[in-house]
Amino acid sequence: MKGLTQNGFETLEKARPSLFDRTRSLLHSRWAPLVVLYLGVFLTGVMWWTTHCHRDRLVGERFQFRVAQLQSHIESRISQYESVLRGGVALFQASRGVDRDEWHRYVNDCDIESWYPGIQAMGVTVLVEQDELADFEAKVQADGFDDFKVFPKGVRSRYACVNFIEPFDWRNQRVFGYDAYSSPERRDMLNRAARTGMPKISGKITLVQEAEDDTQSGVLCCLPIYRNGAKIATESQRMEAVVGWVHAAFRCTDLMSGILDECANDVGLEIHDVDPDAGEQLLFASGNSVIEAPSRGSNAMIQSLPLRLSGRDWMLTVSAPYSFRTPAESMMGGIVGVSGCVISLLLFAVLTSLNGQRILAIGMAEEMTRELQHSEACTLSILENASESILSVDEHGRIAAANRASRRVFQAEDSLIGSQIEDYIVGVDLSELAKKATSQGGATMGMIQDCRREDGTLFPCSVSVGEVEVSGLLHYIVVARDEAARIEAAQKLAEQHKVLVEVSHRAGRAEVATGVLHNVGNVLNSVNVSANLLREYLDESPVDMLAKAAQVINEQEDRLGDFFSNDPRAKHFPRLLNQVVLKFEAERESQLGELHALTDNIGHIKEIVSMQQSFAVKSGLDEMIDPVEIFGDAIRMNDASLERHGVAIQRDFGSLPPIHTQRHEVIQILVNLIRNAQQSIEESSAGDRVIKLAIRPDGDWVCFEVRDCGMGIPQENLTKIFQHGFTTKCDGHGFGLHSCANAAQELGGELTVDSLGAGKGACFQVRLPLQISSRPATQNVSARNESVTAGDSSGASGDDAEALVLTNVDPNGDC
C-alpha cells in the first residue's frame, strides 16, 4: 500500500517494469518470430473454429426458417380447407334442404383443384337410423341411381352414409353410399366433431377411392351439420341435433407435395399421425427425407416438432442433407484457414522489422494506462455515490478508507479515516465475522448491529462484512446501512394494523346485530298475524248472544216456569245454547292452535337471540332432527301469511334419516327462503301461485329445495345476491340471504341458487351434512364476516350468486 487518494480510498503501486520495457524485451528476443508464428497458427485455428460455428449457425437458422415455413404452410393450408368445409355447413344452415345440383354447384364454384390442391373429394355424410335405411336407399335411387346401396352390408343401429360426393368422377364414385360408421376410425372422428362442433381430422386411413395401382395414405376432415334451430350449447344437445357432416378427403402425398414445392423443396419431410393407442403412423414421406437418425460425423440435420390440427396430433420430422449448405458456406472454413496461415507466415517474415514499430507499441501502452485510470475513476465514483456507509478496515480495526456517505450515516463532522471501527459499530468482532464469511463462501449479509453516532446516540444498522487481501495484508470491507427509519415505519405499520383489526371486529359485531334484527323481524310477522287472528276470534265471539239470553231470563226471573212453558221465545233457547256451545268449541280449537303457534314463534325469537349472543364464543346446541318435521315447522311459521295471499304449498318429501344439526338455525334459513318465495310470487303476474318444497338425499348430505314461479333472477344480479346489503326492493335491507348463507356455512353446508332468468322463477337449495362430524367447527363472529359474502332476503325476486351455483335444477321445470 503506497498511500490514500484524496477521496480516502487506497491506491496501490508496485515496483514493476512498464509495458514498454517488457514489449521491447520481447521483441528483441530470438524466440520472438517462433512465438508470433505459433500464436498466428493458434489464432488461425480459433478463427477457423469460430467461422465453422458461425457457418453452422447460419445453416441452422436457415433450416429453422424452413421448418417454421413448413409448419406455417401446413397450418395455413388446413385452415383454408376448414374454411371451405364451414362454407358447406353454412350452405345447409341457410337452406331448408340442399339437393345434389346445389352441392355440385357449390363444389364446382370452389374450384378445389386450383384453390385447394390435395382435396380428393368433398362430400356430405348423412346420419340414418336403422329403421330409416330402406327409405333412404329408395330416396337416393329415385334421384336416378338405381343401383345405389349402402355398403358395407351389416346391421347397425345407425349409419353415416355418403350421400353427396364431388367431383363425381370414377374414383369418387367408389365412396358413394359408403357407411363411415362401419370404420372405427371414421366413426370416432365423426362423433368427436359432433360432440365439439369443431372440425376434426381422422387418423391414417386408406381412402375408399384408392385404386390398387395408385394407393396413398389418406385422412378425412369433417365438420358437423346440426338441425336448423336446434340448441347446441351443450355436448348432449349437439349429439341430439347432429344430422350429418361435411367432409373432405385428402391424399397425403398430393396434399404435402404441393406444400413442399411452394416453400421447402430443398428439405425432406415426414409426417406421422400420433395416436395414443396405435402409436405413430407414417402419413407422408418425401423422397429426400432422412428416415434414420444421422450417423456419427454426418452433417445432416433433423428436427421433429408436434403439430395439432383440428383436434389431431401430427409429428413433423424435417431433415436436410449435407447438400442443404450452399457452396459458399461449405468453403467458408477453408478460406479462413488458408487466409490465417498466409497471414501467420507474413507476420513471421515481417517480425524482424517490428523494432521500427516501438513508438506504436508505446502508444498502445499509454492507451491501456488511460483505460485503467478511467476504470479506477468509475469504481471510485460508484463507491462515493453509494447511499450506504462503505468502510475499509485493516486487521487492527483501524478505518483505512471511507466514502462520503459514512459521514452522513454516523453524523461525523470530520473524516472517519484513522478511527477505530469499535468507535462507530458497537461490539463488532471483525475476526469472528471474517471466519463466518469464509464458512459462508462470501461476505456476511445484513446483520443488525447497534451503531454509534459521533454525538454518542445509538441507532440500528444493517452491517455486511467481507474480507480482501491487499499486498499481503488482510483488509475488511464493511457496509453499514441506517435502519432506524425502516424500523420506525414498521412499528407504525404494526400499530395501524392493530387499529384496523379493532375496527373490523366492531364491524363484525354490528353485522351480527343487524342479522338478529332481521331474523327476529321475520318471526315477529308471524306473531303479529297470530295476534290479529286472536283479536278477530274475540270480535266474532258469541258472548253477545249469551248476554241477550241472560237478559231475557233475568227479566222473567219471577215467572220462569210459565216463561219456559208458554212464551214462544223460550222455544229457541235450546237451539241457541247448542249454537253457542259449538261456536265456543270451534273458537277454542282455533285459539289454542294460534296460541301454540304464537308460543313457538316467541320461543324461536328467544332462540335466535340466545344463539346470536353465544356465536362469538361457542356453537349452538346440536340435536337429531327430522328433515320433514323441521320443514313443516318453517311452513307453519309462514302459514297464515301464505293463506292470506293465496299462495299454495306443494310438498315433495321423501323418507329421510334424521340429521344432526341446530334446529333453530335451519328453521331460520327455511323461513327466510319461503317468505322470499312468497314475496316473489306476489310481485309476479304468473298464474300459478305455488311454492314447491322438496327434500331429497344426496350421498352424505340432505338437500332442502324451495322453488317458486315468481319474478326470477336477472343474469346481471347472479354475482350479487348473497352480498351484504344488496337488495332489489325499495324497502329491503340486504340482510336476510347474507345471514342465511353464513348460517348454512357454519352448519357445514352451503346455500345455492339458480334461475333461468327474469320472470322464470328461482330455486334455492340448502345442502346440510347428515352427521355433525362432516361440519367444520363453528367460527366466531369475525370469522363469519370474512367467510361468506352477504346478500338479502329479498333476492328471490331478482338476486343470485355466481360463486354459489345450484347444479340440481331442472331447466325444463313446471315454472
Side-chain angles (χ1 to χ4, degrees):
M1 183 172 65
K2 188 74 173 179
L4 300 174
T5 66
Q6 60 180 356
N7 292 326
F9 283 93
E10 298 171 326
T11 58
L12 304 178
E13 297 181 4
K14 290 185 177 181
R16 58 186 180 182
S18 65
L19 179 62
F20 175 77
D21 294 335
R22 287 181 294 171
T23 304
R24 183 176 58 181
S25 176
L26 178 62
L27 292 178
H28 288 175
S29 173
R30 62 178 180 174
W31 304 105
L34 290 176
V35 171
V36 171
L37 180 60
Y38 292 152
L39 181 61
V41 173
F42 172 76
L43 292 177
T44 299
V46 171
M47 290 295 295
W48 176 86
W49 176 251
T50 303
T51 304
H52 176 77
C53 294
H54 177 68
R55 180 201 64 190
D56 289 345
R57 185 173 68 253
L58 291 177
V59 175
E61 289 175 353
R62 187 154 51 86
F63 177 71
Q64 291 297 327
F65 174 76
R66 286 287 188 271
V67 173
Q69 195 176 23
L70 273 173
Q71 179 183 4
S72 175
H73 274 67
I74 292 174
E75 291 177 341
S76 176
R77 184 66 59 85
I78 296 300
S79 176
Q80 292 175 2
Y81 294 167
E82 290 178 358
S83 66
V84 76
L85 293 181
R86 294 184 186 276
V89 172
L91 176 63
F92 279 87
Q93 295 295 330
S95 175
R96 293 182 178 271
V98 178
D99 56 25
R100 299 182 186 279
D101 292 336
E102 290 176 334
W103 182 252
H104 171 74
R105 289 195 300 272
Y106 172 76
V107 177
N108 188 57
D109 291 341
C110 289
D111 193 7
I112 58 177
E113 292 184 1
S114 301
W115 296 104
Y116 304 97
I119 296 182
Q120 172 61 32
M122 286 184 59
V124 177
T125 299
V126 295
L127 190 62
V128 181
E129 300 293 338
Q130 181 182 9
D131 55 354
E132 301 172 351
L133 181 61
D135 295 338
F136 170 75
E137 291 179 341
K139 182 179 179 182
V140 176
Q141 291 170 2
D143 290 342
F145 304 95
D146 298 334
D147 298 329
F148 175 83
K149 289 290 182 181
V150 174
F151 68 98
K153 296 182 179 179
V155 178
R156 291 177 283 277
S157 60
R158 307 179 88 183
Y159 299 81
C161 305
V162 178
N163 190 18
F164 299 164
I165 189 74
E166 293 292 339
F168 200 69
D169 54 21
W170 69 271
R171 186 185 290 271
N172 291 329
Q173 289 177 17
R174 303 179 66 178
V175 78
F176 185 42
Y178 177 74
D179 176 22
Y181 265 11
S182 65
S183 168
E185 180 66 33
R186 293 174 172 84
R187 181 174 60 251
D188 177 69
M189 173 197 64
L190 296 177
N191 289 337
R192 284 188 293 115
R195 285 194 300 268
T196 61
M198 300 297 293
K200 296 299 177 183
I201 291 181
S202 70
K204 178 182 178 180
I205 60 173
T206 299
L207 299 178
V208 181
Q209 294 97 319
E210 295 294 335
E212 295 181 357
D213 57 344
D214 182 17
T215 301
Q216 299 181 14
S217 298
V219 294
L220 293 174
C221 182
C222 71
L223 192 64
I225 304 172
Y226 297 109
R227 186 170 54 255
N228 287 349
K231 294 182 178 180
I232 56 173
T234 65
E235 181 177 308
S236 60
Q237 291 176 345
R238 288 191 288 269
M239 290 299 295
E240 292 178 0
V242 65
V243 296
W245 297 263
V246 174
H247 69 269
F250 302 95
R251 305 182 78 204
C252 293
T253 301
D254 296 343
L255 175 65
M256 296 304 165
S257 297
I259 297 177
L260 286 175
D261 293 338
E262 289 179 4
C263 64
N265 56 6
D266 54 351
V267 297
L269 173 64
E270 290 183 3
I271 300 178
H272 291 82
D273 176 72
V274 180
D275 190 332
D277 298 327
E280 294 188 358
Q281 295 182 325
L282 181 64
L283 293 175
F284 171 76
S286 63
N288 57 347
S289 65
V290 179
I291 299 177
E292 302 294 336
S295 60
R296 186 173 182 178
S298 172
N299 290 303
M301 291 175 290
I302 296 179
Q303 180 176 347
S304 298
L305 69 157
L307 188 62
R308 188 165 184 82
L309 299 172
S310 301
R312 195 74 183 185
D313 292 324
W314 285 4
M315 181 63 68
L316 273 62
T317 302
V318 185
S319 60
Y322 181 80
S323 59
F324 183 73
R325 297 176 175 84
T326 63
E329 292 171 342
S330 302
M331 297 174 58
M332 189 181 299
I335 293 174
V336 171
V338 172
S339 300
C341 292
V342 171
I343 293 173
S344 298
L345 292 174
L346 291 175
L347 289 175
F348 177 78
V350 177
L351 185 60
T352 55
S353 63
L354 286 180
N355 288 332
Q357 304 297 325
R358 292 179 182 177
I359 297 176
L360 179 61
I362 293 173
M364 293 175 61
E366 291 176 349
E367 181 65 23
M368 294 177 66
T369 302
R370 285 193 295 270
E371 291 178 357
L372 180 61
Q373 292 174 347
H374 176 71
S375 177
E376 180 180 328
C378 291
T379 302
L380 290 175
S381 177
I382 293 172
L383 296 175
E384 285 300 308
N385 289 285
S387 60
E388 294 87 358
S389 171
I390 303 176
L391 307 174
S392 176
V393 183
D394 61 21
E395 59 184 354
H396 302 294
R398 185 174 64 89
I399 299 176
N403 63 347
R404 283 195 295 264
S406 301
R407 296 178 61 182
R408 175 180 54 79
V409 171
F410 296 101
Q411 297 183 0
E413 297 182 359
D414 300 324
S415 174
L416 278 65
I417 298 174
S419 303
Q420 291 293 319
I421 188 65
E422 291 84 357
D423 295 341
Y424 295 96
I425 302 179
V426 179
V428 66
D429 187 349
L430 295 180
S431 60
E432 184 65 26
L433 293 177
K435 293 179 182 179
K436 186 175 181 180
T438 303
S439 65
Q440 294 179 351
T444 58
M445 298 297 293
M447 299 178 300
I448 301 298
Q449 295 283 131
D450 287 335
C451 296
R452 182 184 294 110
R453 295 190 173 94
E454 199 167 79
D455 59 3
T457 59
L458 297 179
F459 65 99
C461 265
S462 175
V463 178
S464 302
V465 180
E467 64 176 1
V468 294
E469 187 174 344
V470 181
S471 300
L473 300 177
L474 186 64
H475 275 248
Y476 303 98
I477 303 300
V478 180
V479 180
R481 182 173 65 250
D482 188 351
E483 297 286 350
R486 184 185 64 81
I487 294 176
E488 181 181 359
Q491 292 174 349
K492 291 182 179 180
L493 182 61
E495 293 175 357
Q496 293 175 354
H497 177 70
K498 182 178 179 181
V499 173
L500 183 61
V501 170
E502 179 63 26
V503 172
S504 176
H505 288 171
R506 292 177 182 176
R509 290 192 291 270
E511 183 182 346
V512 171
T514 301
V516 172
L517 292 175
H518 183 275
N519 295 328
V520 170
N522 282 340
V523 182
L524 283 177
N525 288 333
S526 298
V527 171
N528 184 46
V529 171
S530 298
N532 288 332
L533 289 175
L534 288 175
R535 186 182 63 185
E536 292 177 3
Y537 291 149
L538 291 176
D539 291 340
E540 298 174 0
S541 175
V543 173
D544 293 340
M545 299 173 62
L546 283 178
K548 292 179 180 180
Q551 181 180 357
V552 172
I553 293 174
N554 289 335
E555 292 174 353
Q556 306 297 329
E557 182 177 3
D558 296 334
R559 48 184 297 274
L560 288 177
D562 182 61
F563 173 75
F564 283 107
S565 299
N566 301 318
D567 197 316
R569 292 177 296 174
K571 298 179 181 179
H572 300 289
F573 265 82
R575 186 177 60 183
L576 175 64
L577 291 176
N578 288 331
Q579 291 178 352
V580 170
V581 169
L582 293 176
K583 184 69 173 178
F584 271 122
E585 287 180 351
E587 287 185 354
R588 179 177 177 274
E589 294 296 328
S590 299
Q591 290 173 0
L592 284 176
E594 289 301 326
L595 286 174
H596 284 309
L598 186 61
T599 303
D600 290 341
N601 288 330
I602 294 174
H604 186 50
I605 293 173
K606 178 182 177 182
E607 192 66 25
I608 291 173
V609 175
S610 299
M611 284 191 298
Q612 296 292 353
Q613 287 174 343
S614 62
F615 258 138
V617 293
K618 63 181 181 179
S619 63
L621 176 63
D622 293 294
E623 57 182 308
M624 297 299 296
I625 63 174
D626 184 359
V628 176
E629 178 183 349
I630 202 168
F631 223 150
D633 292 342
I635 295 172
R636 281 191 292 275
M637 290 186 181
N638 289 281
D639 197 25
S641 178
L642 293 170
E643 182 178 358
R644 187 169 63 254
H645 292 90
V647 178
I649 296 294
Q650 180 179 326
R651 295 172 174 84
D652 181 13
F653 300 164
S655 177
L656 295 169
I659 60 175
H660 203 175
T661 187
Q662 299 179 24
R663 172 183 292 272
H664 287 278
E665 282 285 310
V666 180
I667 290 179
Q668 170 188 326
I669 297 172
L670 297 178
V671 167
N672 269 285
L673 297 182
I674 295 173
R675 184 149 298 168
N676 287 350
Q678 172 200 320
Q679 294 171 356
S680 178
I681 290 175
E682 293 173 15
E683 297 176 6
S684 173
S685 60
D688 295 335
R689 300 175 66 84
V690 178
I691 299 176
K692 298 181 181 180
L693 307 180
I695 311 175
R696 59 176 60 91
D698 185 10
D700 295 333
W701 302 76
V702 62
C703 298
F704 298 84
E705 185 177 287
V706 179
R707 183 189 298 269
D708 65 76
C709 301
M711 295 297 293
I713 302 173
Q715 293 297 316
E716 61 270 18
N717 291 334
L718 288 179
T719 60
K720 308 173 184 177
I721 187 171
F722 292 104
Q723 293 178 1
H724 182 266
F726 176 78
T727 180
T728 59
K729 297 182 177 181
C730 59
D731 57 347
H733 300 90
F735 302 146
L737 286 180
H738 167 51
S739 61
C740 290
N742 282 341
Q745 185 172 9
E746 288 176 355
L747 293 175
E750 63 177 354
L751 173 61
T752 56
V753 65
D754 188 39
S755 175
L756 297 178
K760 298 183 180 180
C763 179
F764 287 81
Q765 189 181 67
V766 183
R767 297 178 72 250
L768 297 177
L770 291 174
Q771 298 296 330
I772 191 174
S773 59
S774 63
R775 179 172 93 232
T778 302
Q779 302 168 333
N780 59 24
V781 174
S782 298
R784 288 184 66 191
N785 295 334
E786 297 171 1
S787 62
V788 179
T789 55
D792 173 32
S793 63
S794 65
S797 61
D799 309 339
D800 205 333
E802 187 178 64
L804 301 172
V805 179
L806 179 65
T807 60
N808 196 20
V809 175
D810 181 10
N812 299 318
D814 294 339
C815 298

